[in-house]
Amino acid sequence: MLRFFYYLILIVIAFLPKVNLISFNGTTTGIRIEDFLIVIITFFLLLLMKSRKYNNNIDRNIRNIIKLYFLYFIISVISTIFGIMNNYVGGILTILFLLRKIEYFIVLFIGYEFVKTVKDREKLLKLFDSFVFFNFIIVLLQYFGIVGASEMGKFVELSKESRLCSIFNGAYEFSAFLLLLLPKYAYELSIKQKNNIKNLIYIIMIFFCIFMSQSRTSLIIFFIILVMILLEANKKTLKKILLCFSFVFILIIILLNIKSIISFLPRFDSLNIKNMLLTLKEAWYNRDFQRYINMNGYYELVRGINVDRSFNMRISKCMTLLDGFLKSPLIGVGLSIVKISADCAYIRIITESGIFGFISYMSCLIYIYKHRNIRDKEFSIIIKYSIITLLLSGIFIDIFDSSKVIMLFWFLVGFSCKLDNILNDKKDNNICII
């Protein structure tokens, strides 16, 4: 029965829009179907964990990941208590944000329990194909105006200028989700498998979806990840040199035609470095965390500078939140201080949980990076570049609080740890037989 729920949670993450069954004022966060599913799965997992045999067999890396993440959660609890005492945060929304930290992490155990045999590896990789293909079809339907989108939990019609985001809440979450799938296809393409045409097609579909989402950050990360994997996978020096020269040559062509290229790329033509720096300076001078609290999340945009509106909104809010961080730099001011989004994962963590919270969360990711799957090269690549993707996306996106993205990530981490165990046991058994 649990197997059914494991598949069901993956289906909900990849195929169903985020629609609140129970909504709360002041935020798009609410109670959704995946919340109920994870509660049910958690109940059965707890029954399973009562078994001494289960606890003895659990992976050492999983234990260490739990310890590091639990440290982050405890710090978040302390931060939140501090925030409640100082009237920065409070109410049911704060409790919900705190519980979400545990909810997302529980998917790690779902990924761990999903793997029973090595054959489950191929089942998951085939699910990747369905994830990409499904969202590609939805984007095509949205592009031709056949279907709408789910925006902040509500279904809306799309105009010709709309940023396409499939069944996701926004373009950034959609593109970040696809970037977690990219390493699988890039790696398989680089090792020259028989199905190279298939992998190339899926890479093109991912690129098309990210392009149509008009997510500038994700578009840049797409090329960074693609080039990094191709360079890593091709171990021969000559191939690396040829790839590097090809990349440099393409880069030179791009730089020589930068103006015409920028005008074609979505939303890049509105960027102006000089005005962005001026906006950053003004946003810092105009920061006012207390006003943000008094007016329930209101922050003022920088005026008088002709700058990209998205950047203005992002930087104005980030500077306001940093002003809050300075009031409690070690433990932060509590979860739910960011009502909707901070548009920067690092600003969000450091404001909510302070320096201690930031260090503990990053320590958890670093540990996963260093102790990822070593028996399966492909999953080692997937986990490695999933973390790199998250760290790069976190500069401009609340990626660690993006439910569909972070739940898929924790699923992959748990899956990879269990797969490594199975392959390790299989190797040991083979040695015994010999």
Side-chain angles (χ1 to χ4, degrees), residues 277-289 300 302 305 315-316 319-320 323:
L277 291 174
L278 287 172
T279 303
L280 174 62
K281 183 178 178 181
E282 286 299 314
W284 177 250
Y285 286 143
N286 295 332
R287 70 192 189 279
D288 191 341
F289 181 70
E300 190 171 349
V302 173
I305 301 176
I315 211 65
S316 296
M319 294 303 103
T320 299
D323 190 37

Side-chain angles (χ1 to χ4, degrees), residues 121-261:
R121 177 191 186 280
E122 298 307 316
K123 291 179 182 177
L124 181 62
L125 294 179
K126 286 180 180 179
L127 279 174
F128 275 28
D129 295 347
S130 64
F131 293 170
V132 176
F133 185 73
F134 171 79
N135 284 288
F136 174 73
I137 295 299
I138 296 297
V139 165
L140 281 180
L141 294 174
Q142 289 177 338
Y143 177 75
F144 289 107
I146 299 173
V147 299
S150 174
E151 188 175 288
M152 303 302 179
K154 297 179 181 179
F155 289 101
V156 296
E157 293 184 2
L158 297 172
S159 65
K160 291 182 179 180
E161 293 77 26
S162 296
R163 300 174 61 187
L164 307 184
C165 57
S166 185
I167 51 90
F168 292 75
N169 244 15
Y172 287 112
E173 183 181 45
F174 174 44
S175 55
F177 181 88
L178 292 173
L179 286 173
L180 290 185
L181 306 178
L182 176 63
K184 180 253 185 188
Y185 302 103
Y187 174 75
E188 290 184 359
L189 182 68
S190 66
I191 60 174
K192 295 186 176 180
Q193 290 195 339
K194 291 181 180 179
N195 54 353
N196 267 350
I197 294 177
K198 171 198 163 187
N199 288 317
L200 185 59
I201 290 172
Y202 276 96
I203 290 173
I204 292 171
M205 283 195 286
I206 290 173
F207 171 78
F208 174 80
C209 289
I210 294 175
F211 185 88
M212 297 308 295
S213 76
Q214 300 183 38
S215 174
R216 295 169 294 197
T217 302
S218 296
L219 196 60
I220 293 170
I221 294 173
F222 171 88
F223 288 109
I224 291 174
I225 297 298
L226 190 61
V227 170
M228 287 179 71
I229 293 175
L230 291 176
L231 289 176
E232 179 178 338
N234 287 277
K235 296 297 183 182
K236 293 183 179 180
T237 306
L238 180 60
K239 286 184 177 181
K240 281 193 173 185
I241 291 172
L242 289 173
L243 277 170
C244 285
F245 271 109
S246 300
F247 179 68
V248 171
F249 177 75
I250 293 170
L251 188 61
I252 291 171
I253 297 297
I254 290 172
L255 291 173
L256 290 174
N257 298 274
I258 193 71
K259 288 186 177 180
S260 57
I261 291 172

Side-chain angles (χ1 to χ4, degrees), residues 77 79-91 94-95 333-334:
V77 171
S79 304
T80 303
I81 292 172
F82 173 82
I84 292 171
M85 291 171 63
N86 288 274
N87 295 319
Y88 295 141
V89 297
T94 297
I95 296 172
V333 293

Side-chain angles (χ1 to χ4, degrees), residues 383-396:
I383 298 301
K384 175 181 178 179
Y385 286 97
S386 291
I387 294 172
I388 292 173
T389 293
L390 291 178
L391 293 176
L392 290 174
S393 299
I395 298 171
F396 292 114

